[in-house]
Amino acid sequence: MTQHQAPPTDPAGADSGLGTRPRPADGSPLPRPAVVTLVGNPRPGSRTLGAAQAVAARVADHLGLAARPAEAGSTGSASAPGNPGNPGTATIDLAEIAAEILTPVHPRADAAREVVAGATVLVVATPVYKGSYTGLLKAFLDLYGPEGLAGVVAVPVVVSGNPAHALAGEVHLRPLLVELGATVPARTLALLDSQLGEAELASTVDAWLDRAGGPLLRAASAAVGQDVPTHQTAPELAEVTR
């Protein structure tokens, strides 16, 4: 895996192109974003993006994080501050910063890298391209060194037009996230293009959460140092991640 040395960042929180991230007045560290969505489709505003945001919103709701106050500088996209739909989440659409990811200096990609690495839960979505994830997603994840996503609970999501590609996330994307140190407690959510309508997407995600919700809750609770019994939901988790 190629590794790129990130340039020094302004400790005060310079404008990164992802929105200014001012440090709190008392000098304390910025809180971690609750749920971050990372989208590797090279087309801006793709259907993959819409599906990933819907998954992230449902996951945040399941974990009791949907109403969590936003991190200063959390983003609705890779260039626009704020996420009015859910202030407790942030979205990185890599299509918006694709042109600079492989350049020697990439401040917006570095800012996105920090947001992703600081997530409690990371939804990583990609269309299936030649049986695997996209080169754009791989190029971005190559910016991390070993254990670059340590402490992050990852939810891999793949979107394809063919049911034969359903295992692409398990075979390719999941091992990549684990190599970077992320915890991946549940199987990849595999979506077909035909399932991206609002109603069918909601039912598909809910069916996946019926199986994945327990492991996801336990992993997210462990990531923030909170013991949650397996029979409970997670309103306590929202308090711990504030």
Side-chain angles (χ1 to χ4, degrees), residues 4 28 40 48 63 67 86-87 105 122 129 147 158 183 203 213 226 232 238:
H4 301 270
S28 60
T48 306
L63 297 178
N86 182 352
V105 178
L122 174 67
Y129 181 71
E147 302 298 310
V158 298
T183 299
S203 64
Q226 173 82 352
Q232 291 184 357

Side-chain angles (χ1 to χ4, degrees), residues 33-64:
V35 180
V36 173
T37 306
L38 176 65
V39 180
N41 195 313
R43 295 183 180 181
S46 63
R47 296 183 77 195
T48 306
L49 171 64
Q53 289 178 317
V55 172
R58 187 66 187 89
V59 167
D61 182 65
H62 176 76
L63 297 178

Side-chain angles (χ1 to χ4, degrees), residues 3-94:
Q3 297 175 21
H4 301 270
Q5 185 65 37
T9 56
D10 180 356
D15 188 353
S16 63
L18 285 152
T20 304
R21 305 179 70 211
R23 189 172 296 279
D26 63 2
S28 60
L30 287 169
R32 298 172 70 181
V35 180
V36 173
T37 306
L38 176 65
V39 180
N41 195 313
R43 295 183 180 181
S46 63
R47 296 183 77 195
T48 306
L49 171 64
Q53 289 178 317
V55 172
R58 187 66 187 89
V59 167
D61 182 65
H62 176 76
L63 297 178
L65 300 173
R68 177 185 175 276
E71 175 195 15
S74 66
T75 63
S77 71
S79 60
N83 189 343
N86 182 352
T89 67
T91 298
I92 306 296
D93 188 3
L94 292 179

Side-chain angles (χ1 to χ4, degrees), residues 194-222:
S194 60
Q195 295 174 316
L196 299 187
E198 184 176 352
E200 189 160 4
L201 177 60
S203 64
T204 302
V205 174
D206 284 347
W208 173 81
L209 271 174
D210 284 344
R211 302 184 302 272
L216 184 60
L217 173 58
R218 291 190 291 273
S221 300

Side-chain angles (χ1 to χ4, degrees), residues 102-119:
L102 295 178
T103 60
V105 178
H106 33 65
R108 295 178 71 207
D110 287 331
R113 186 171 57 87
E114 291 184 10
V115 172
V116 167

Side-chain angles (χ1 to χ4, degrees), residues 1-4 38 40 94 101-102 124 126 132-144 172-173 176 179-180:
M1 179 178 291
T2 304
Q3 297 175 21
H4 301 270
L38 176 65
L94 292 179
I101 287 178
L102 295 178
V124 185
T126 178
S132 186
Y133 44 76
T134 63
L136 176 60
L137 180 60
K138 178 61 161 60
F140 176 77
L141 292 176
D142 275 351
L143 298 177
Y144 291 100
H172 299 291
L173 181 54
L176 175 60
E179 180 184 347
L180 290 172

Side-chain angles (χ1 to χ4, degrees), residues 147-163:
E147 302 298 310
L149 295 181
V152 174
V153 177
V155 176
V157 178
V158 298
V159 179
S160 70
N162 189 333

